Amino acid sequence: MKLFFKLFSLIIIFLVILSDLYSQTESQKQWLLDFSKQKDAEWRANRQLAESLAIIYKVPIRKEYEDGSIIVLQGFEDGRFIYDATDNLVAARTVSTDKVWPDNFYGFPLSGNDQLLGLWEAGGIPRITHQEYNGRITVRDGASNVTQHATHVAGTMIGRGIDANAKGMSFNGKIDSYDSGNDLSEISAAAAAGLKVSNHSYGTIAGWRWNYFSDNRWAWFGNLAISQVEDYKFGFYDNSSVNWDNFLFNAPNILVVKSAGNDREDTGPAAGVQHWVQDGGWVLSTTTRNPDGGQFGYDCIGDARGIAKNTLALGAVNDIPTGYSGPASVSMSTFSSWGPTDDGRIKPDLVANGVSLYSASNTSDAAYVSLSGTSMSSPNTSGSVGLLLELQELLYGKGLPFRSSTMKGLMIHTADEAGWNPGPDYTFGWGLLNTFKASQLMRLSAEVGGDTLIRQLRINQGSSIQFQVTSNGLEPLKATICWIDPPGTPPPVSLNPPNLMLVNDLDIRITGPGAVTYMPWVLRPSDPSSAAIKSDNFRDNVEQIEILTPTPGVYIVTVNHKGNLTNNFQDFSLIISGIVIQPPASPLLTFPAHDTTGVRIDIPLRWNHASRGMSYQIQIATDSSFSNIVFQKDSIKELNTTAQNLAYITKYYWRVRGKNSGGMGGWSQIRSFTTQLAPPAIPTLVFPTSDQMNLPLTFTFIWNKAENAISYRLQVSNNIIFSSLVLNDSTITDTTRQITGLGDGKRYYWRVNSKNTVATSTYSPPRIFFTRLNPPDSLKVSLLPVQHVSLTWRDRSANESKYFIIRKLTGGNYSIIDSVSTDQVTYTDTTVEYGNAYTYRVFAANSFTISDSSNEASVTIVSVPSEIEVLPKEYSIFQNYPNPFNPTTAIMYGLPVESGVSINIFNILGQEVKSLVNSVQDAGYKTIEWNSTDNAGNPVVSGVYLIKFEFSDIKKPSSAITQVRKMLLVR
């Protein structure tokens, strides 16, 4: 900030001289107050007449449409009702406003602090309690209708950035808010009180309007007496334009920012379709009329404020999220209105982002919405003007405000080229607003001193102004003049009258080496799509000469005038760039500190703004004499850059110098830094390999040593996203790690990263492995007193889904004979034959793996009588067979004595399904079948069922026993 304030001593010397050229006079203030009273009385009388007639003719006084647009009746003129109609981080990038915000490393501290912006809105005011600007908006005219349009516009101008994407241009600024009714009277009084910028995102309805009567028809606002097919108001300089120019001629310090309108999208109905026209009253018509802007879109700016000479009219382009990168990066919106005015002046003046701007909404204090229109490009610009006003005060003080012609000329001079041809055009105006370039030139002018680059001058009747500048031939030489022209004299109401509205015609010429004279840009309204040429401009109160490749040497800049000047003089502003000035001072390096060690190789190197610096050059070398330069970058606009291709653990030296059109400045002091150790490499996994199966529950992970690694982190997880960790060890200094306690028969994922004092690597690509299932053991087989073999084993796995039973005949090979479900530990083989010897094994399995087999167990089947004579020695129960079954299974049990027997089937919920036995039975082996039906004879569903056995010796009832077995029905 000191760089701004140290200029004040120089400024004070010129304060008295400059005050007349900068500030409005007391007589102008009084004129504005008188003008305000006059226009207030006129507006109120006309508005009252218009409202009375609107009621009689049944036309809207105020209407809000579904898309948020609003129309408001303002007056009655020439037999017609006059209506006003409403016409952000990405937005800031598009016009380079974000570069002048604090902490963006461009050397500017701008936020709109202490800046008051005027906001006039058709039909409403912002939601003043919205979190983006609560407490920073004052409603000045008693308006109370809160609208989305006004809320969004205010947010684009001063939104705080609570939602970062909705940050306004002057995010610390304030707003005085007004309804658009009686705007000329109100703004005149506000200007007399010192207001310096205002926003007007609305305009008079001209040409086509959709759904005016809420009947889904077009209405045409043209005057049939003037033209049956085109609204004469497009481009027409009328008495309202006179009033605005008259106001601005007497308020030289306020810049009125006006949306150009969105009429180019209004095509009207198809040929022969009924629409409304004003013919005495509103009547339906089928006459074919032109779309607004005609076949090619030109001449469709219909509001007097935007047509006025001294306002700043804004068109709308699509956003440029990554910032301007040349004319091709600026694309026109589908709706933005194009010039020329009827007298051929360049309108719009500039363009800014007006498509899908994200900003505050009126639905709640924390609501947001994206809207499009020149209504959005206008606050994008007026909010940016607030930052330029803040900078102007920092540089020159509050007592020396710029004229509006200076601010307007500066913004036009520094605009980015847009459009299909060099120079201005009737679509993009003078180009895309660039707040950063305007700020740069403003700061440079103050640092150079005097009036070298930005001049506020006065030309007297019959005189001329002339001065010399020098070009280095290395960059374009550019000069722009802009003046607040007295109001013109409107022609009679007619279609496209060519009458010139320029009153004081100033001319700029530049004469260069070899007596070559350079002329300003000129457009030809007779061929609006043609490229600009260089000739005598007799239409615009802005003239610009641009010499892209000047010959080095001395140039003479001359400003004179044609004819007689109103009041015998004309104040004007001149902005010039590309001339030889004093080279920049040396910058001060700020980061990193001298001799810092452990610096990242991608560290941003930073320095302070050098007085008069417009860009910078940096050099980095491995020696302090800079004989071995490893990195050099030129034309850096920021106050920082990131070096490339630096090596690790290396000492470097760096320096910076500024550049402007006068050449290179002196080098900064030299600083050094040493880069850090390289980050560690990503480890390469060795064991287990990918998809490795049957790993033991305790084993050792192995990976290769990673370059520059000091330690490692091993993670083992149950899932691929590593959200369920079974091991997370970051203390490993070796390349191995044993793990214990894994579950059997499970799938796991593992990965490793590395770490040193500098950084932590990303993880290695994960690998999958599977642990083996614990095999069953203690397998035993026994011969039942029937032609069956009973198998039992011990379950040692927690994760099997089934068991497979394998069998072989003596001298034969094993084969699978059956399987049982999880947690089963018994099986009955009913397929054996007498006289054979069998050997059995059992192994567990799930969807991932198969266990080793159990121990072997053998049995020989000997012949026995068909009638069982041997009685069981104790109560015994055998696994049902088959199991799983469908639909019938056999259930075998043994009774050592005569017993009471109860056998019942239950479902998994404990509900009885079937009663199989409830009687007294003799001793012996018994078999009963269940056909999977319930007590009512109905088939039961698939699932797990429980068999409950209850036995009791009839002689010893107290000896009763109860046992339960599971079985599985699979239909």
Side-chain angles (χ1 to χ4, degrees):
M1 197 68 74
K2 293 179 180 177
L3 293 173
F4 294 109
F5 292 111
K6 72 179 184 180
L7 300 168
F8 282 179
S9 59
L10 178 62
I11 293 168
I12 296 300
I13 299 174
F14 299 101
L15 183 59
V16 176
I17 300 173
L18 294 176
S19 60
D20 287 342
L21 296 176
Y22 278 72
S23 304
Q24 63 188 15
T25 63
E26 289 301 319
S27 61
Q28 286 174 322
K29 290 181 182 179
Q30 187 58 51
W31 185 95
L32 288 169
L33 294 174
D34 294 342
F35 185 72
S36 172
K37 292 179 182 178
Q38 174 191 343
K39 293 305 171 185
D40 177 67
E42 291 175 0
W43 179 83
R44 292 183 185 279
N46 190 262
R47 173 63 184 268
Q48 185 175 4
L49 171 64
E51 288 189 4
S52 299
L53 293 173
I55 294 172
I56 294 172
Y57 285 101
K58 298 180 180 180
V59 298
I61 294 175
R62 183 185 188 276
K63 184 175 181 180
E64 188 164 351
Y65 292 83
E66 291 182 358
D67 63 358
S69 61
I70 299 170
I71 65 173
V72 181
L73 182 65
Q74 296 297 339
F76 189 78
E77 185 176 320
D78 294 331
R80 280 164 174 73
F81 292 99
I82 307 300
Y83 287 88
D84 277 347
T86 55
D87 281 337
N88 284 285
L89 187 62
V90 169
R93 291 197 189 106
T94 299
V95 298
S96 299
T97 294
D98 61 320
K99 294 180 180 178
V100 302
W101 287 340
D103 302 325
N104 273 7
F105 302 111
Y106 286 87
F108 290 97
L110 307 181
S111 65
N113 185 53
D114 203 28
Q115 297 305 305
L116 180 64
L117 288 65
L119 172 60
W120 276 262
E121 271 287 315
I125 59 171
R127 184 185 181 105
I128 63 175
T129 57
H130 197 284
Q131 64 179 0
E132 290 294 342
Y133 41 67
N134 185 20
R136 293 188 292 127
I137 295 181
T138 303
V139 178
R140 292 296 184 186
D141 61 353
S144 58
N145 285 321
V146 175
T147 68
Q148 177 165 279
H149 190 273
T151 302
H152 189 279
V153 167
T156 304
M157 294 170 71
I158 66 165
R160 176 76 72 187
I162 304 300
D163 183 328
N165 291 321
K167 190 173 185 177
M169 306 302 110
S170 285
F171 57 87
N172 276 337
K174 298 179 180 179
I175 283 178
D176 274 358
S177 174
Y178 304 80
D179 185 277
S180 68
N182 205 15
D183 54 1
L184 189 55
S185 170
E186 292 166 344
I187 197 172
S188 297
L195 187 67
K196 298 174 187 174
V197 63
S198 65
N199 186 85
H200 307 262
S201 294
Y202 57 91
T204 304
I205 297 178
W208 293 108
R209 181 76 189 188
W210 170 253
N211 207 27
Y212 172 62
F213 285 107
S214 300
D215 59 355
N216 292 323
R217 284 191 174 101
W218 288 95
W220 192 65
F221 279 75
N223 189 326
L224 297 176
I226 305 300
S227 172
Q228 291 283 325
V229 297
E230 180 180 344
D231 192 338
Y232 82 90
K233 291 190 292 295
F234 287 124
F236 184 78
Y237 188 92
D238 61 9
N239 286 325
S240 183
S241 299
V242 170
N243 284 328
W244 280 87
D245 275 340
N246 198 16
F247 150 63
L248 289 168
F249 186 73
N250 288 279
N253 299 129
I254 184 171
L255 181 64
V256 171
V257 181
K258 172 68 183 71
S259 57
N262 308 323
D263 286 285
R264 192 166 52 86
E265 202 170 41
D266 295 340
T267 59
V273 175
Q274 283 189 330
H275 56 273
W276 294 100
V277 296
Q278 296 181 79
D279 190 3
W282 283 100
V283 297
L284 288 171
S285 170
T286 58
T287 302
T288 300
R289 309 181 202 282
N290 295 342
D292 294 347
Q295 181 180 358
F296 301 107
Y298 292 96
D299 185 18
C300 56
I301 299 176
D303 182 73
R305 307 168 190 84
I307 295 169
K309 294 176 288 184
N310 299 318
T311 58
L312 184 73
L314 264 295
V317 295
N318 293 301
D319 65 61
I320 313 175
T322 57
Y324 178 83
S325 60
S329 65
V330 188
S331 60
M332 177 54 61
S333 67
T334 60
F335 49 80
S336 184
S337 293
W338 293 352
T341 60
D342 288 348
D343 60 331
R345 284 179 291 111
I346 298 171
K347 290 284 178 174
D349 297 289
L350 293 170
V351 293
N353 181 20
V355 178
S356 298
L357 264 75
Y358 182 76
S359 188
S361 171
N362 69 323
T363 55
S364 77
D365 286 344
Y368 298 86
V369 68
S370 293
L371 299 179
S372 298
T374 55
S375 283
M376 281 64 252
S377 60
S378 176
N380 184 198
T381 301
S382 59
S384 298
V385 171
L387 300 177
L388 297 177
L389 291 170
E390 180 186 7
L391 178 59
Q392 193 269 340
E393 290 182 359
L394 290 172
L395 294 170
Y396 298 101
K398 292 188 177 182
L400 296 174
F402 276 169
R403 295 187 197 133
S404 62
S405 60
T406 307
M407 190 65 75
K408 180 178 177 180
L410 175 67
M411 296 164 74
I412 287 173
H413 184 92
T414 55
D416 288 323
E417 180 66 64
W420 302 278
N421 298 295
D425 55 49
Y426 291 127
T427 58
F428 296 89
W430 291 94
L432 176 69
L433 171 67
N434 189 318
T435 309
F436 172 62
K437 287 169 64 176
S439 300
Q440 268 199 315
L441 187 56
M442 189 188 301
R443 180 175 62 184
L444 179 64
S445 178
E447 291 171 346
V448 169
D451 56 358
T452 304
L453 303 178
I454 299 177
R455 307 181 182 214
Q456 300 200 126
L457 304 169
R458 174 174 292 177
I459 187 170
N460 293 310
Q461 177 66 41
S463 66
S464 66
I465 294 176
Q466 192 173 80
F467 55 91
Q468 289 185 351
V469 295
T470 302
S471 169
N472 59 19
L474 300 177
E475 56 188 284
L477 176 61
K478 189 174 183 180
T480 303
I481 59 171
C482 179
W483 64 98
I484 306 170
D485 198 50
T489 302
V493 173
S494 56
L495 184 65
N496 298 325
N499 307 52
L500 297 178
M501 293 298 102
L502 190 65
V503 175
N504 289 340
D505 185 1
L506 306 189
D507 293 308
I508 184 171
R509 305 288 185 266
I510 297 179
T511 304
V516 177
T517 298
Y518 297 90
M519 304 290 285
W521 292 110
V522 176
L523 291 175
R524 291 165 287 176
S526 60
D527 185 10
S529 63
S530 62
I533 61 174
K534 294 182 178 181
S535 185
D536 178 33
N537 188 334
F538 51 85
R539 294 187 175 93
D540 296 288
N541 58 328
V542 176
E543 292 193 4
Q544 184 181 99
I545 295 175
E546 188 173 19
I547 309 170
L548 291 177
T549 55
T551 301
V554 174
Y555 289 76
I556 306 298
V557 180
T558 302
V559 178
N560 51 33
H561 70 90
K562 300 184 185 79
N564 294 321
L565 297 175
T566 299
N567 300 328
N568 293 315
F569 71 90
Q570 176 65 58
D571 292 332
F572 69 97
S573 305
L574 184 146
I575 298 93
I576 192 165
S577 60
I579 64 174
V580 173
I581 57 177
Q582 184 181 356
S586 298
L588 176 65
L589 307 185
T590 60
F591 184 83
H594 184 50
D595 270 345
T596 299
T597 59
V599 170
R600 301 194 327 260
I601 60 170
D602 61 345
I603 190 170
L605 304 171
R606 299 172 187 161
W607 55 93
N608 281 340
H609 167 68
S611 179
R612 301 181 302 280
M614 293 291 281
S615 66
Y616 298 89
Q617 180 188 68
I618 186 173
Q619 289 183 343
I620 302 177
T622 56
D623 61 300
S624 59
S625 62
F626 288 84
S627 59
N628 184 26
I629 295 173
V630 297
F631 177 79
Q632 177 171 308
K633 187 175 181 180
D634 302 321
S635 302
I636 305 170
K637 297 295 185 181
E638 303 95 321
L639 300 180
N640 73 328
T641 194
T642 300
Q644 298 174 356
N645 302 319
L646 298 186
Y648 291 104
I649 319 178
T650 304
K651 186 170 185 176
Y652 290 102
Y653 300 84
W654 65 294
R655 61 185 181 181
V656 177
R657 60 179 173 178
K659 181 184 178 183
N660 62 25
S661 56
M664 288 288 191
W667 286 108
S668 66
Q669 78 275 37
I670 296 172
R671 280 188 173 180
S672 66
F673 61 87
T674 301
T675 53
Q676 64 188 10
L677 175 71
I682 301 172
T684 302
L685 307 186
V686 176
F687 180 83
T689 59
S690 185
D691 292 324
Q692 187 157 354
M693 306 288 291
N694 293 320
L695 284 168
L697 305 188
T698 297
F699 67 89
T700 299
F701 292 98
I702 304 172
W703 56 92
N704 286 332
K705 180 175 175 59
E707 187 177 4
N708 301 313
I710 295 176
S711 64
Y712 301 91
R713 179 189 293 270
L714 168 64
Q715 288 187 335
V716 181
S717 172
N718 288 312
N719 56 49
I720 189 62
I721 62 174
F722 287 82
S723 63
S724 176
L725 296 176
V726 297
L727 178 65
N728 184 22
D729 188 351
S730 62
T731 65
I732 309 168
T733 56
D734 198 357
T735 57
T736 62
R737 169 64 155 84
Q738 187 183 66
I739 190 168
T740 60
L742 294 175
D744 74 309
K746 294 192 66 175
R747 175 175 57 193
Y748 291 97
Y749 301 82
W750 73 293
R751 63 184 183 180
V752 180
N753 70 10
S754 58
K755 183 179 181 181
N756 63 17
T757 56
V758 171
T760 300
S761 77
T762 56
Y763 281 99
S764 62
R767 283 186 176 180
I768 303 172
F769 67 89
F770 303 88
T771 55
R772 67 170 60 112
L773 276 167
N774 287 326
D777 64 6
S778 303
L779 175 64
K780 296 178 181 179
V781 297
S782 60
L783 181 62
L784 297 176
V786 290
Q787 194 174 334
H788 296 164
V789 175
S790 174
L791 287 77
T792 63
W793 59 88
R794 185 166 66 109
D795 179 4
R796 296 181 56 240
S797 171
N799 297 298
E800 86 284 349
S801 59
K802 63 176 58 180
Y803 286 100
F804 287 97
I805 293 89
I806 61 176
R807 183 186 73 185
K808 71 176 180 177
L809 288 170
T810 301
N813 296 318
Y814 278 109
S815 62
I816 297 175
I817 62 168
D818 208 346
S819 65
V820 294
S821 62
T822 179
D823 295 332
Q824 294 290 312
V825 293
T826 64
Y827 176 75
T828 301
D829 183 1
T830 63
T831 63
V832 295
E833 297 179 356
Y834 292 117
N836 291 328
Y838 296 96
T839 302
Y840 295 87
R841 286 184 177 180
V842 178
F843 58 88
N846 61 20
S847 58
F848 302 136
T849 187
I850 298 174
S851 75
D852 293 336
S853 71
S854 67
N855 59 293
E856 288 185 339
S858 300
V859 66
T860 299
I861 312 300
V862 296
S863 296
V864 295
S866 58
E867 295 296 329
I868 301 297
E869 297 178 355
V870 179
L871 294 176
K873 294 181 180 180
E874 59 185 12
Y875 289 111
S876 56
I877 300 170
F878 304 94
Q879 183 66 45
N880 64 298
Y881 181 85
N883 186 37
F885 66 96
N886 179 25
T888 301
T889 187
I891 304 166
M892 184 177 177
Y893 54 95
L895 306 175
V897 295
E898 184 182 14
S899 303
V901 180
S902 175
I903 303 175
N904 299 287
I905 309 295
F906 295 84
N907 61 23
I908 198 69
L909 298 177
Q911 299 165 329
E912 183 179 300
V913 173
K914 182 78 170 181
S915 176
L916 294 178
V917 177
N918 189 14
S919 64
V920 175
Q921 296 183 348
D922 295 333
Y925 290 100
K926 315 290 181 179
T927 300
I928 190 169
E929 289 188 345
W930 181 43
N931 64 354
S932 62
T933 61
D934 61 16
N935 286 323
N938 300 314
V940 298
V941 299
S942 297
V944 174
Y945 290 87
L946 305 176
I947 315 171
K948 183 179 180 183
F949 299 89
E950 295 179 280
F951 304 131
S952 63
D953 185 339
I954 60 172
K955 296 180 180 179
K956 298 178 182 179
S958 61
S959 64
I961 65 169
T962 300
Q963 292 189 26
V964 176
R965 290 285 188 271
K966 288 193 297 184
M967 58 183 175
L968 178 63
L969 169 64
V970 180
R971 290 193 182 275

